[in-house]
Amino acid sequence: QYIINQKYYLFFKDIKQKKRIMKSILRFITIMIFVVISTAQEKTITLMTWNVENLFDCFDDPQKNDNEFLPDSKKEWTEEKLNQKIDNLIKVLKEVKNGKGPDILAVQEIENIEVLKMLKNRFKAFSGYGIVHYESADPRGIDCALFFNKNKIDSLTSEAISVDVGANSNTRDILLFGGKAGKDKFFVFVNHWPSRIGGEEKTELKRIKAASALINRIDKIKEKNKNARIIAVGDFNDTPLDKSIQEGLGALPDETGKMINLTYPFAQKNEGTYKYNEQWNMLDQVIITKEFLAGNFYIDRASCKILRPDFAIEKGGKKDGAMLPTYQGKKYTAGYSDHFPVIVTFVKKK
């Protein structure tokens, strides 16, 4: 009987030890799952492109035609309104990555480095970000620029690419940024092509010339590295269905083109980032080389989205559903921008 009792005791003792071991193993697995998920989240890079609509300072620059945005102008552009504008932009940026903002922010329609520094200094999440900016020959003085998260991305190169649109006519430069995430290199082109003011057909040639300047620089990169990962973003002032995009860049919705337009499906569904005469226009686009769709460092095609924060949307009127701008004509509306931003995610496989 004693021997039998000892055997039962050892048996149940063994079961208890096994249970403790299993609990420890499960606890360890849970911790590892959490670590893997956290690591996976850190392996993503979010890019956002946004025409922020006339981000001007309040000071007269004699080298630019910035008279529209001065304290004594008809718009009465004051420091108070500028600060409100910056706060509004930050409010939208906080809609990305749970308040952290995008890792890369490509902006259009900014006046100078000073307004970029204001935005960086006011948005704490951008404290560790670098800024890439060049002054362009645009008569109004508006440029393209780029913020990048230096904790995730190393800067390798940058340059301003001039766009020749004809005699006595200047436009924004195309901004090129070459970066590196770990061992993976990539190139970002930030665009703000000539506007349609004066008529879409009359100004079409200018945008075709901008497309030519962009694709020529892309081809030079591809000559050195045929597998280069390249992304072109910005306000193209044309839609994915227009000649400058489909023929000039060869950007189509699939791999049959020279480049792939991730924003093409929005245009097909009559969605857009900018509303004019009650018509949506997909002017803000994300266009990539096919090499960016595969490999250990790729772009998630499904992640490409128009960011439409509910608090920033107009309600009613001809522009119902559009983003509330800073001005409606001459009327100050204390809004955000007249364009919705577009976001896309880069993924680095472990």
Side-chain angles (χ1 to χ4, degrees), residues 51-71 77 82 85-86 89 107-119 131-145 147 172 192:
N51 180 327
V52 293
E53 187 209 12
N54 294 320
L55 183 54
F56 279 77
D57 65 22
C58 306
F59 307 103
D60 183 26
D61 186 338
Q63 305 299 319
K64 301 174 183 177
N65 183 15
D66 60 355
N67 298 334
E68 188 179 8
F69 288 90
L70 294 173
W77 186 242
L82 172 59
K85 172 88 172 180
I86 296 287
L89 298 181
V107 289
Q108 305 89 53
E109 224 164 271
I110 60 96
E111 184 184 9
N112 52 38
I113 190 68
E114 298 306 321
V115 292
L116 296 170
K117 288 179 179 177
M118 282 186 68
L119 180 58
I131 301 175
V132 184
H133 168 257
Y134 294 91
E135 287 285 351
S136 73
D138 180 86
R140 291 183 62 226
I142 54 174
D143 310 316
C144 297
F147 294 87
R172 281 76 62 174
H192 188 189

Side-chain angles (χ1 to χ4, degrees), residues 41-42 93-103 123-126 129:
Q41 289 173 340
E42 287 303 310
L93 292 173
K94 285 182 176 179
E95 290 292 296
V96 182
K97 295 181 68 175
N98 298 317
K100 294 179 181 178
D103 297 298
F123 187 27
K124 291 181 180 179
F126 273 15
Y129 280 52

Side-chain angles (χ1 to χ4, degrees), residues 95-270:
E95 290 292 296
V96 182
K97 295 181 68 175
N98 298 317
K100 294 179 181 178
D103 297 298
I104 302 173
L105 174 62
V107 289
Q108 305 89 53
E109 224 164 271
I110 60 96
E111 184 184 9
N112 52 38
I113 190 68
E114 298 306 321
V115 292
L116 296 170
K117 288 179 179 177
M118 282 186 68
L119 180 58
K120 176 183 173 179
N121 293 337
R122 296 270 285 280
F123 187 27
K124 291 181 180 179
F126 273 15
S127 60
Y129 280 52
I131 301 175
V132 184
H133 168 257
Y134 294 91
E135 287 285 351
S136 73
D138 180 86
R140 291 183 62 226
I142 54 174
D143 310 316
C144 297
L146 181 141
F147 294 87
F148 67 98
N149 186 344
K150 292 193 288 186
N151 292 323
K152 289 187 176 183
I153 302 160
D154 295 320
S155 174
L156 299 179
T157 186
S158 67
E159 66 180 85
I161 302 160
S162 61
V163 179
D164 182 6
V165 291
N168 302 317
S169 183
N170 293 310
T171 190
R172 281 76 62 174
D173 293 338
I174 298 171
L175 177 66
L176 166 61
F177 171 75
K180 189 177 180 182
K183 296 180 180 179
D184 300 292
K185 297 179 182 178
F186 61 95
F187 298 90
V188 181
F189 288 88
V190 187
N191 299 263
H192 188 189
W193 290 3
S195 75
R196 297 182 173 194
I197 295 174
E200 182 181 341
E201 291 184 6
K202 289 183 179 180
T203 58
E204 181 184 52
L205 181 59
K206 292 182 178 181
R207 290 184 292 281
I208 290 173
K209 288 183 176 181
S212 178
L214 173 58
I215 204 67
N216 286 343
R217 188 65 185 88
I218 288 174
D219 285 343
K220 286 182 180 179
I221 292 173
K222 299 281 279 184
E223 284 173 9
K224 293 182 179 180
N225 179 8
K226 65 179 182 179
N227 296 317
R229 289 177 168 84
I230 299 168
I231 178 168
V233 300
D235 177 3
F236 292 85
N237 269 312
D238 263 339
T239 77
L241 310 176
D242 287 317
K243 185 177 179 180
S244 64
I245 303 296
Q246 292 205 354
E247 296 181 22
L249 295 182
L252 299 176
D254 51 39
E255 288 83 344
T256 59
K258 191 170 185 176
M259 300 186 76
I260 302 165
N261 195 333
L262 300 186
T263 39
Y264 189 100
F266 298 112
Q268 279 187 315
K269 293 183 289 186
N270 293 318

Side-chain angles (χ1 to χ4, degrees), residues 10-23:
L10 292 173
F11 174 75
F12 285 114
K13 184 180 179 182
D14 189 49
I15 289 176
K16 288 179 180 179
Q17 286 177 336
K18 285 180 179 178
K19 284 183 177 179
R20 282 197 294 268
I21 291 169
M22 287 303 297
K23 284 181 180 179

Side-chain angles (χ1 to χ4, degrees), residues 50-55 77 80-92 311-314 322-328 331-340:
W50 194 11
N51 180 327
V52 293
E53 187 209 12
N54 294 320
L55 183 54
W77 186 242
E80 181 182 357
K81 289 177 179 177
L82 172 59
N83 287 330
Q84 180 66 61
K85 172 88 172 180
I86 296 287
D87 288 342
N88 287 353
L89 298 181
I90 292 172
K91 190 175 179 181
V92 175
F311 59 79
I313 295 177
E314 285 201 60
M323 184 168 254
L324 181 67
T326 308
Y327 283 90
Q328 289 276 29
K331 181 185 177 183
Y332 177 64
T333 50
Y336 303 82
S337 172
D338 52 355
H339 289 244
F340 283 120

